[in-house]
Amino acid sequence: MPRGALKLAIIGGGSSYTPELIEGVLKRREFLPVSEIHLVDIDQGREKLDIIHALATRMVAKVGADIKISASTDRREAIKGADFVMTQFRVGGLKARASDERIPLKYDVIGQETTGPGGFAKALRTIPVILDICRDIEELAPQAWMLNFTNPAGLVSEAVNKHTKVKSIGLCNVPVSMRMMVAEMMGCQPEELQLEFAGLNHLVWVLKAWLNGEDITETVIEKVGDGANFSMKNIFEEPWDPDFLRALGAIPCPYHRYFYQTDAMLQEEKESAGEQGTRAEQVMKTEASLFKLYQDVNLDVKPKELEERGGAYYSDASLNLVDGIYNNRNGIHVVNVPNNGAINTLPDDAVIECSAVIGNWGAKPIAVGELPANIKGLLHQVKAYEQLAIEAAVFGDYDKALMALANNPLVPDIKRAKAILNDILRENAEYLPQFKLTTL
Ligand code: G6P
């Protein structure tokens, strides 16, 4: 990678999360020579983009950094010559997310934006768009690294790896948040911990944890079972059963609650959808007040109200990765990359979320070999669902789509799978040109 001024292109730059990213860049300017951040969004997002542009410009001016902030709806202009392209967009906005969350609930199935049928619907809308973006990167910035945050991040990353030549790494804030929470419960600094992550995005386990060389896996499992804080703002903190955790022998991620405690999570979702709306409907309100705050011409820092969102530490995850690549640090990060033998029962091209060594040459997953039966079954089933969902999204294939849902462990039977699928295709018709929807 050439040394010197770096250009970052942020696709979905009008997101309410962007100030977090700007703060991440500013915190690292001693060793990351970013000279331009180009925020790009679609026409419908113009108003938000302008607000974020103005706030980002004020944040940069406050610290006196020499960084040009550009904003436009011209994606090709943003990508041209970029060193890093960060993708964080939401096809269909929060309205589509609300429908992803509500459709499954009608059938007594978990309604969540990234797991179960909700994540599936999001994958159908998102994968064609990311492949389109990748074609622009292949043409206009073939040397660039694409760092993808767009959900469902694991499926999106696998689609990119299988169908494009773009150098890409998928990212999520869950692993970094888990590290912070383990540090809090152990009363240590996050850097003192060594955590061995393996699994899939939003289905990742910490297989082993060490503190200064001492194996603390059992202690952490015990603390999580005792009710230590171990969730994200967007996930209901249903207490874990300590006996189950001990038997599992690994530390699950907050999203595992949907798989291991489905009944309780579903019950809670149904209640809160009735009382205060689904998560998307709640987030719409948070977003409206965030954008009101962002318009204050005196605001020149990331406001702490942004912490109400589930994406805590996302800028640390992504800017640390930029640092790891640009400065060739060869450190360990948790990323979504092709398996290449790391979990020896999964295919090489299956994207997994795992600890990996990162340098300017790319990412090398740290091998964990064969996972215990406790973990393997769920992991393989979700991967089968993901692979079918990706094919359905790329080729607009109804049969693959139906089999994807039928294989999703959160969907209990095919009658419901079919009804949910038909609702998803109907409600998302405008975003799914790859499907021929004449019969629905
Ligand atoms: C989590 C996930 C992200 C997701 C976010 C949603 O932290 O890891 O993938 O985008 O929460 O948060 P929200 O505030 O939008 O519900």
Side-chain angles (χ1 to χ4, degrees), residues 16-17 90 94 97 101 112-114 122 149-153 171-175 177 201-202 232-235 255 279-280 283 286-287 306-312 314:
S16 56
Y17 278 119
R90 193 189 284 286
L94 286 170
R97 173 175 172 186
E101 292 166 345
Q112 209 281 323
E113 74 156 336
T114 61
K122 190 159 167 46
F149 257 104
T150 300
N151 275 320
L171 262 182
C172 179
N173 64 325
V174 164
S177 302
N201 178 237
H202 290 181
M232 319 282 290
K233 283 270 158 51
N234 59 317
I235 301 175
Y255 280 84
R279 177 70 186 167
V283 162
T286 320
E287 273 233 354
L306 186 51
E307 287 161 21
E308 286 316 304
R309 299 293 302 275
Y314 108 99

Side-chain angles (χ1 to χ4, degrees), residues 9 32 57 74 111 124 143 154 174 180 233 247 259 334 435 437:
L32 273 185
T57 307
D74 184 346
L124 295 188
Q143 294 312 310
V174 164
M180 302 308 266
K233 283 270 158 51
F259 295 90
V334 184
F435 283 86
L437 295 173

Side-chain angles (χ1 to χ4, degrees), residues 69-373:
I69 307 283
S70 328
S72 72
T73 51
D74 184 346
R75 186 172 87 198
R76 289 174 63 82
E77 192 52 38
I79 289 174
K80 203 159 133 200
D83 299 285
F84 290 91
V85 179
M86 284 135 151
T87 45
Q88 50 170 41
F89 57 91
R90 193 189 284 286
V91 180
L94 286 170
K95 198 161 159 259
R97 173 175 172 186
S99 130
D100 294 349
E101 292 166 345
R102 283 215 174 257
I103 292 172
L105 286 182
K106 255 172 55 187
Y107 301 95
D108 265 341
V109 170
I110 292 286
Q112 209 281 323
E113 74 156 336
T114 61
T115 58
F120 166 79
K122 190 159 167 46
L124 295 188
R125 289 193 302 274
T126 308
I127 288 175
V129 177
I130 197 95
L131 297 184
D132 216 42
I133 292 171
C134 286
R135 283 187 273 277
D136 284 348
I137 300 177
E138 284 168 348
E139 181 192 333
L140 301 163
Q143 294 312 310
W145 280 97
M146 184 174 92
L147 307 184
N148 176 63
F149 257 104
T150 300
N151 275 320
L155 286 91
V156 168
S157 299
E158 186 161 323
V160 167
N161 276 288
K162 283 186 169 163
H163 296 281
T164 81
K165 294 191 178 63
V166 170
K167 297 192 292 181
S168 71
I169 295 180
L171 262 182
C172 179
N173 64 325
V174 164
V176 65
S177 302
M178 286 172 74
R179 170 180 290 275
M180 302 308 266
M181 291 185 288
V182 171
E184 195 185 307
M185 64 183 88
M186 296 303 297
C188 69
Q189 293 304 311
E191 308 73 54
E192 293 175 90
L193 293 164
Q194 183 62 267
L195 303 178
E196 183 179 69
F197 283 90
L200 308 178
N201 178 237
H202 290 181
L203 194 84
V204 73
W205 290 264
V206 172
L207 303 175
K208 281 253 172 274
W210 294 269
L211 173 57
N212 294 322
E214 187 195 334
D215 186 340
I216 54 160
T217 319
E218 279 179 21
T219 313
V220 176
I221 288 174
E222 217 170 279
K223 285 182 188 282
V224 174
D226 269 358
N229 167 41
F230 208 57
S231 199
M232 319 282 290
K233 283 270 158 51
N234 59 317
I235 301 175
F236 177 68
E237 207 169 342
E238 175 66 23
W240 283 106
D241 177 334
D243 294 334
F244 165 74
L245 289 184
R246 209 176 35 251
L248 179 67
I251 304 155
C253 78
Y255 280 84
H256 275 113
R257 288 190 168 90
Y258 295 109
F259 295 90
Y260 291 140
Q261 299 170 302
T262 316
D263 289 351
M265 295 303 276
L266 179 61
Q267 189 55 34
E268 192 280 332
E269 280 193 339
K270 287 194 334 200
E271 277 163 24
S272 71
E275 286 158 16
Q276 33 175 340
T278 67
R279 177 70 186 167
E281 289 155 359
Q282 296 167 33
V283 162
M284 283 177 197
K285 293 183 198 138
T286 320
E287 273 233 354
S289 47
L290 277 175
F291 273 95
K292 212 173 267 166
L293 270 177
Y294 290 176
Q295 287 177 71
D296 177 355
V297 290
N298 296 313
L299 181 74
D300 52 12
V301 291
K302 179 192 87 177
K304 77 164 185 14
E305 286 82 346
L306 186 51
E307 287 161 21
E308 286 316 304
R309 299 293 302 275
Y313 307 114
Y314 108 99
S315 75
D316 282 329
S318 72
L319 272 314
N320 286 345
L321 194 59
V322 172
D323 174 36
I325 294 173
Y326 177 74
N327 290 310
N328 195 27
R329 299 209 190 262
N330 293 302
I332 299 174
H333 299 247
V334 184
V335 289
N336 285 261
V337 288
N339 177 40
N340 284 327
I343 298 175
N344 67 11
T345 53
L346 281 177
D348 283 353
D349 63 358
V351 162
I352 60 168
E353 186 163 277
C354 61
S355 306
V357 180
I358 305 282
N360 57 11
W361 43 272
K364 179 95 184 151
I366 295 176
V368 291
E370 185 170 346
L371 296 175

